Amino acid sequence: INDSINPELRYPLLVKPADADHSFGISQTSVVKNKKELDAQLSYVIEKLGHPALVEEYIEGDEYSVSILGSDYNDLRVFPLSRAKFPIGPKNKWKILTESVKNKEDSLYSSAAKNLNPKLEALISEIAIDTYKIMKCRDYGRVELRIDREGNPYVLELNTNPTLGKTSPVVRAAKHTNLEHIDLLEEIIKLAINR
């Protein structure tokens, strides 16, 4: 709790558990606008939740999910991009996927990102593939990115074991390439066996 925060970080900041998944511990109060809110959120994450805290700049912009299939880095299959759907309303000032939202819905990403600039789509896909390769991902994974207001992409997360429920982002993205749920599971199993 007494660790110093990089002074180059600019508010608003996002404070979240550093080692949890499914947006555990993330709520609208996770985005902080000043030192007082920062200290309160650090105390919540570290002392109440018992996790180390990750502090990063909040990026205002659209969020995309890129699902990737494959282990041979020269032959990866990238499914159509999906765009995050954020809840609208007075309680949802910040565009973030909170724990309560993720626990209510499985299909937080729209089935496909429509009307996307082809250059931006290519850039997002390229960055996702590079992330997948750099982190030595195998079989399947999902990369989440945000594009800020100036069009700069930021990798938020690489999920090396994303959920494979019938309405999950990976399964929904695969369906856009005519790969049904059971066929996707078989492909992943084959990749693992061959590896």
Side-chain angles (χ1 to χ4, degrees), residues 45-177:
V45 170
I46 295 168
E47 295 174 346
K48 186 167 183 187
L49 297 180
H51 288 263
L54 175 64
V55 179
E56 58 191 6
E57 290 183 16
Y58 170 76
I59 302 164
E60 179 68 42
D62 290 330
E63 186 170 319
Y64 296 91
S65 171
V66 184
S67 300
I68 301 172
L69 185 66
S71 296
D72 178 358
Y73 293 149
N74 296 318
D75 191 27
L76 296 177
R77 190 167 175 184
V78 178
F79 296 131
L81 277 58
S82 301
R83 183 178 292 167
K85 297 186 293 187
F86 297 103
I88 298 170
K91 294 181 180 180
N92 299 302
K93 177 180 179 182
W94 305 105
K95 288 184 172 183
I96 57 175
L97 298 175
T98 63
E99 181 179 12
S100 64
V101 169
K102 280 197 175 180
N103 285 334
K104 287 180 188 171
E105 294 184 53
D106 194 19
S107 55
L108 296 167
Y109 288 90
S110 62
S111 55
K114 297 179 182 172
N115 304 322
L116 191 60
N117 177 313
K119 286 183 182 179
L120 179 60
E121 184 174 4
L123 177 64
I124 291 170
S125 296
E126 183 179 332
I127 291 171
I129 289 170
D130 288 346
T131 302
Y132 191 89
K133 290 178 178 179
I134 289 167
M135 299 306 293
K136 299 180 179 166
C137 217
R138 299 289 187 266
D139 308 330
Y140 80 113
R142 192 176 83 231
V143 181
E144 295 171 18
L145 301 96
R146 262 219 191 185
I147 309 301
D148 71 10
R149 291 176 177 170
E150 287 77 44
N152 301 308
Y154 294 88
V155 174
L156 299 179
E157 175 182 22
L158 166 63
N159 190 336
T160 58
N161 187 26
T163 181
L164 292 171
K166 289 185 179 182
T167 60
S168 70
V170 175
V171 173
R172 289 167 56 121
K175 281 187 179 181
H176 281 281
T177 63

